[in-house]
Amino acid sequence: MNTDELDEAYRLHEREWAGYEQLCSAFEWRVPERFDIATHIADRWAGTDRLALLAVDEGGTERRYTFAELDRTAARLASALAADGVGRGDRIAVSGRQHPWVAIAHLAAWKRGAVTVPVSPILGADALEYRLRDTDATAAVVGEPLLETIGELDPPPESLESVYAIDGKSSLDAARSIDARTDGVTPIGSSVDTAATDPASVFYTSGSTGDPKGVVLPHRVVLGLLPSYLTLKCDLELTGTDRFWTTSEWSWIALYTTVFTSWFYGASVVAFDRAAFDAEAALDVTDEYGVTSLSAPPAALRRLRDARPDATIDSVRVVFSGGSLLRESTVEWARRAFGPVSVHVSYGLTEAACVSGNCEALGRPYRPGTIGVPQPGHEIRLVDPDSDDCVPVPEGEAGEIAIDASSDPVCMARYWENPDATARAFRDGWLLTNDLGRRTEDGYIEYIGRADNVIISSGYRMGPAEIEESLVSHDAVAAAGVVGVPDPERDEIPKAAVVLVDGFDADEGLKDALQRHAKDTLALYKYPHEIEFVDELPMTSTGKLARATLRERLTDGEQ
């Protein structure tokens, strides 16, 4: 399949559609046997002067990259990686900062046939070390503060041979300035021949138990995202002046759903390299750089609303949100602040992103309490969680959301080196999500909640087990139980019940110490926002934590 044929299949915005049903009925997946992301988003536009990336940092420094410059820089970094022995199948950890070198590192890795491992810049030492060791990463492209975190690992992972410092400074013996390392390097030639099913990235996501799981996304996933990108992020309109920005880190799936999908169509992406989220700065970036499609989780949108209730920014024509339910008050603010604007919600997970949502251009407007309707090419079934063959539940009843993975290119390939978890995720050709929903008479899906115990706070997914393990590793803690409790700003926050070792005082100082301990070992956002000291935890008859009982007690404030 040549490039023109591939383009034709995914240019849904260039046709007139009578409505949602017509588009869904007409759409068919086209996935060539050989396909790599770098070739189809950078190489293909390298002969043009199109603006690919408009990057700005907190200090106001601005950098612009055309697709030609993006491809040429990625080719130089690919040469440097090759000189360091990075080849097909090797894993490269890449920071999640919105920095030009981060996006370029992914392209360079794929030109070599390597696999990228996005890592959040706020990971703690234990969490970062786990990802590096679990994937046997041979190289890393990172900046502050991850350079410092890697330097704290003692001993460092044996597999990690090369560290490229995007900030240009590092005390690590193995680290070198990425600018100096690529300056004057002869660009590599064409990309390594890659199958569409070959792994492109490994994203780590928290589950309800055990260590985070590495979600293996093959190159074909970009194709799987294109129809939803056009409906949910573009409202089926795409012009040469559009600019796309996500407020989320590039260590999450937003890297694919915003950056690489936009580049497939030759569209411009805005990057804002910052530390903590700043609502005022985010609104300024949106306005100053003419963002036309703004992606932000509900919690971020609420912070934008609270920072500037009377905002008026006329460049935005689509607001896209996902990760948790969007509230009506936030939608009303967005329509006032950016109007006229299409407000779209989305449902998906790292394992299969953007499979459901709404599209005003197709007559499917936002509806409170729902996650929209299945998007073109994606089949969703609500199934009996206890069934072995994914039997659908009767109309109107609640069931587990399952995605037909038999031919959908957006679905993950597997969990990294975890066949047991992979087997549990797939059943009878369907990808199970652990989310519960109910279908309305007109096809919308009402979101009910998680079937497992994963905590979703401000769009971040946290497994209670990893927070519990972190707390128990502190000398003062004999046992700990963590659940998600409602929060007006973050939707949900992790709250811990802690049983202390004899001799320690249950006071505010110890609470602060335990929270710092969790932040240091896991990540800045993965810590118990609230802690209650208890004499004992509720247990089941089999000796397991009675999490439902604990949640009820902590929510009600009972001990």
Side-chain angles (χ1 to χ4, degrees):
M1 183 183 301
N2 61 40
T3 300
D4 291 339
E5 291 174 326
L6 194 62
D7 278 353
E8 179 65 25
Y10 296 102
R11 303 196 75 80
L12 309 179
H13 59 296
E14 295 181 351
R15 292 180 55 185
E16 293 290 333
W17 302 99
Y20 167 77
E21 290 81 4
Q22 184 196 28
L23 174 52
C24 289
S25 176
F27 178 76
E28 294 182 359
W29 292 114
R30 295 274 186 93
V31 182
E33 181 179 347
R34 316 302 296 179
F35 177 84
D36 79 275
I37 301 173
T39 296
H40 285 83
I41 67 174
D43 294 12
R44 69 189 304 217
W45 299 108
T48 74
D49 60 357
R50 286 175 179 255
L51 178 65
L53 185 64
L54 197 166
V56 62
D57 62 24
E58 288 180 307
T61 302
E62 183 182 307
R63 285 168 287 188
R64 295 172 182 250
Y65 289 78
T66 65
F67 279 96
E69 293 166 331
L70 195 73
D71 183 66
R72 189 162 53 248
T73 308
R76 290 203 307 271
L77 178 54
S79 288
L81 292 173
D84 283 341
V86 174
R88 184 187 294 275
D90 289 337
R91 275 75 63 193
I92 301 176
V94 182
S95 169
R97 285 170 49 179
Q98 290 193 12
H99 189 286
W101 273 120
V102 170
I104 290 166
H106 286 276
L107 301 179
W110 293 330
K111 285 176 178 290
R112 293 293 303 144
V115 181
T116 59
V117 183
V119 289
S120 172
I122 58 175
L123 285 179
D126 290 354
L128 177 60
E129 182 175 21
Y130 174 78
R131 288 154 175 76
L132 295 175
R133 293 191 188 279
D134 194 48
T135 57
D136 287 326
T138 60
V141 178
V142 296
E144 295 293 350
L146 287 181
L147 282 170
E148 181 179 342
T149 306
I150 292 177
E152 294 172 359
L153 303 183
D154 186 21
E158 293 182 4
S159 62
L160 191 62
E161 298 179 354
S162 303
V163 178
Y164 294 79
I166 63 176
D167 292 317
K169 299 177 182 178
S170 174
S171 60
L172 292 171
D173 292 338
R176 290 168 289 180
S177 163
I178 197 168
D179 291 302
R181 187 68 183 85
T182 56
D183 187 35
V185 173
T186 301
I188 202 168
S190 58
S191 299
V192 169
D193 184 45
T194 304
T197 54
D198 285 344
S201 298
V202 179
F203 284 84
Y204 277 83
T205 182
S206 296
S208 58
T209 59
D211 292 319
K213 299 187 293 291
V215 179
V216 180
L217 298 184
H219 285 263
R220 59 170 164 77
V221 163
V222 164
L223 298 177
L225 290 168
L226 296 181
S228 295
Y229 171 83
L230 292 173
T231 56
L232 303 180
K233 297 213 172 191
C234 301
D235 204 26
L236 286 176
E237 179 184 345
L238 187 59
T239 72
T241 59
D242 277 326
R243 287 181 179 172
F244 295 79
W245 182 46
T246 175
T247 63
S248 299
E249 285 179 18
W250 285 356
S251 49
W252 312 123
I253 193 61
L255 174 69
Y256 273 64
T257 61
T258 296
V259 180
F260 300 138
T261 44
S262 295
W263 285 349
F264 181 92
Y265 292 105
S268 301
V269 171
V270 173
F272 180 36
D273 189 15
R274 43 83 178 173
F277 180 80
D278 183 320
E280 287 284 358
L283 286 166
D284 289 342
V285 167
T286 301
D287 192 14
E288 182 176 352
Y289 294 99
V291 173
T292 58
S293 180
L294 173 65
S295 300
L301 285 176
R302 290 197 297 272
R303 292 179 65 179
L304 297 181
R305 177 199 65 194
D306 295 342
R308 209 176 291 176
D310 299 324
T312 53
I313 299 175
D314 59 11
S315 64
V316 179
R317 59 179 181 80
V318 179
V319 171
F320 168 92
S321 191
S324 58
L325 290 179
L326 199 57
R327 299 175 186 172
E328 285 187 82
S329 59
T330 308
V331 173
E332 292 169 359
W333 169 81
R335 295 196 190 283
R336 292 194 307 270
F338 305 117
V341 67
S342 297
V343 180
H344 291 166
V345 299
S346 172
Y347 169 79
L349 52 165
T350 307
E351 291 88 337
C354 298
V355 294
S356 183
N358 65 288
C359 177
E360 295 194 9
L362 292 174
R364 288 294 184 270
Y366 159 81
R367 184 174 295 176
T370 77
I371 54 173
V373 295
Q375 291 302 287
H378 306 301
E379 183 177 351
I380 294 177
R381 177 184 289 181
L382 303 182
V383 304
D384 181 349
D386 299 322
S387 170
D388 291 332
D389 51 5
C390 287
V391 174
V393 298
E395 285 295 322
E397 291 192 11
E400 182 176 357
I401 299 171
I403 303 159
D404 185 359
S406 59
S407 60
D408 192 333
V410 85
C411 292
M412 72 168 183
R414 65 185 186 280
Y415 289 117
W416 178 261
E417 301 295 313
N418 197 335
D420 291 340
T422 301
R424 289 192 297 270
F426 291 99
R427 184 186 304 163
D428 198 28
W430 294 82
L431 175 63
L432 303 177
T433 65
N434 274 313
D435 284 315
L436 300 177
R438 181 185 295 108
R439 203 182 299 264
T440 65
E441 290 184 358
D442 54 356
Y444 278 74
I445 299 174
E446 296 176 341
Y447 183 75
I448 297 174
R450 294 290 298 172
D452 61 16
N453 298 303
V454 169
I455 302 165
I456 303 178
S457 181
S458 297
Y460 291 104
R461 292 165 55 92
M462 289 167 270
E466 57 184 331
I467 302 176
E468 290 163 358
E469 290 173 7
S470 174
L471 290 171
V472 172
S473 69
H474 192 282
D475 292 339
V477 178
V482 175
V483 296
V485 297
D487 180 79
E489 292 301 319
R490 301 177 179 88
D491 297 314
E492 199 175 27
I493 58 171
K495 184 174 182 178
V498 171
V499 179
L500 293 178
V501 173
D502 289 343
F504 285 89
D505 295 328
D507 55 27
E508 291 299 320
L510 183 54
K511 285 184 181 180
D512 292 341
L514 294 178
Q515 289 174 326
R516 289 196 303 271
H517 178 73
K519 290 179 182 180
D520 290 342
T521 56
L522 295 172
L524 292 180
Y525 64 90
K526 284 186 181 179
Y527 72 97
H529 288 59
E530 296 181 4
I531 295 176
E532 282 191 20
F533 294 115
V534 298
D535 294 331
E536 61 181 7
L537 299 175
M539 309 299 288
T540 67
S541 59
T542 57
K544 295 181 180 180
L545 177 67
R547 206 174 292 277
T549 302
L550 180 63
R551 181 180 293 109
E552 182 178 356
R553 291 183 183 179
L554 293 183
T555 301
D556 294 341
E558 298 176 0
Q559 293 195 26

